[in-house]
Amino acid sequence: MRRKIIAGNWKMNMTPSQAVALVNELKPLVANEEVDVVFCVPAIDIIPAMEAAKGSNINIGAENMHFEESGAYTGEISASMLTDVGVKYVVIGHSERREYFGETDETVNKKVLKALEHNITPIICCGETLTQREQGITIDFVRQQIKVAFLNVTAEQAKNTVIAYEPIWAIGTGKVATTEQAEEVCAAIRECIREIYDTDTAEAIRIQYGGSVSAASAPELFAQPNIDGGLVGGASLKPDFGKIVNYNK
Ligand code: PGA
């Protein structure tokens, strides 16, 4: 049985003081011993959010990191900087990073390798555009993203990664994929992992759905055999996130 992992992605929201207030507000609401809970927050919020989350089940993660160890990369954050303050999760290759900051499958792969080298669990994002879905190439496209993201990643390492399937047309649009659409692609991703590695690895890896997840849609989505939780944007900034984390109560 895979343990569910429910992660919030705050994106470019919340100042450090707002972050502390939000963690304090959500702390009692997201208590659920049966799932892993992660808040992926802006870099400047990581330390104050961690302080605020102390003694709770909330893990504080990052939204991005660079693939080099250190050096002349103005404005970037390294894996060692994250581990130095105790970060264990990082979102890699979110579609907004790909669209607005030129990230590619190749840079995603480099970041995944660097995160794993530092024992940080990458939450690796993939997902198709509306055009690709309408063209019927969703699964081919996502398989390619997965294959490149996992280049040179060992089976042992792959077991410690999380994949987030996020159809781009469902992100921030209120247009959640149907349960069938989400399960179909998550199952195809697991099959792709099985082809790259083996059944053991495919059964161990956790695959989230993301894109307009709400308290209303979470229970059915997370009950699917191949959906092991969610990556939640908008709703992770609200008390509703507590209901999503407690989808099984
Ligand atoms: P959303 O964002 O829940 O607001 O659609 C999801 C995401 O971008 O991870």
Side-chain angles (χ1 to χ4, degrees):
M1 259 309 265
R2 291 179 295 270
R3 193 174 156 86
K4 298 268 194 259
I5 175 163
I6 299 171
N9 171 15
W10 287 11
K11 311 194 179 187
M12 196 173 74
N13 294 296
M14 300 290 134
T15 64
S17 41
Q18 289 170 332
V20 169
L22 184 59
V23 170
N24 285 328
E25 182 189 356
L26 293 184
K27 220 166 16 176
L29 306 178
V30 300
N32 182 353
E33 293 312 313
E34 292 158 45
V35 306
D36 289 336
V37 178
V38 188
F39 288 15
C40 296
V41 307
I44 198 166
D45 294 346
I46 291 174
I47 293 172
M50 270 187 173
E51 281 296 315
K54 267 199 184 129
S56 77
N57 61 327
I58 302 169
N59 288 283
I60 300 298
E63 296 178 11
N64 180 33
M65 54 162 251
H66 199 263
F67 52 78
E68 291 292 351
E69 193 55 48
S70 64
Y73 302 98
T74 302
E76 293 291 323
I77 306 274
S78 72
S80 316
M81 293 172 192
L82 296 178
T83 54
D84 190 66
V85 296
V87 167
K88 297 194 179 67
Y89 296 90
V90 61
V91 178
I92 298 290
H94 190 278
S95 61
E96 288 150 17
R97 299 288 324 163
R98 296 177 190 253
E99 182 177 356
Y100 306 127
F101 303 98
E103 296 202 15
T104 63
D105 291 342
E106 287 69 28
T107 59
V108 167
N109 175 239
K110 287 185 187 176
K111 291 181 178 198
V112 167
L113 290 167
K114 184 52 78 177
L116 290 168
E117 184 188 319
H118 287 266
N119 291 317
I120 304 174
T121 298
I123 299 176
I124 307 163
C125 301
C126 61
E128 81 287 3
T129 62
L130 187 57
T131 311
Q132 288 163 335
R133 175 157 287 271
E134 286 169 354
Q135 288 173 329
I137 60 170
T138 295
I139 288 177
D140 288 339
F141 181 76
V142 170
R143 280 173 58 91
Q144 163 137 343
Q145 288 184 314
I146 294 298
K147 285 190 173 178
V148 180
F150 281 87
L151 270 177
N152 300 319
V153 173
T154 67
E156 252 353 273
Q157 288 176 318
K159 287 178 185 158
N160 293 320
T161 66
V162 174
I163 297 171
Y165 165 58
E166 299 202 303
I168 294 169
W169 48 271
I171 294 177
T173 56
K175 205 174 155 190
V176 61
T178 65
T179 306
E180 293 70 31
Q181 287 172 325
E183 167 62 14
E184 182 195 18
V185 182
C186 289
I189 292 169
R190 198 175 306 285
E191 182 53 33
C192 184
I193 294 293
R194 194 189 317 275
E195 287 170 27
I196 302 171
Y197 301 103
D198 47 48
T199 301
D200 231 34
T201 311
E203 290 306 318
I205 204 163
R206 294 186 289 178
I207 305 175
Q208 299 173 314
Y209 167 78
S212 299
V213 172
S214 66
S217 59
E220 200 180 301
L221 284 165
F222 300 171
Q224 299 308 302
N226 287 291
I227 302 180
D228 307 313
L231 182 58
V232 184
S236 72
L237 300 168
K238 297 186 274 192
D240 248 24
F241 195 55
K243 295 193 190 129
I244 295 174
V245 167
N246 286 289
Y247 74 97
N248 59 343
K249 300 287 163 74

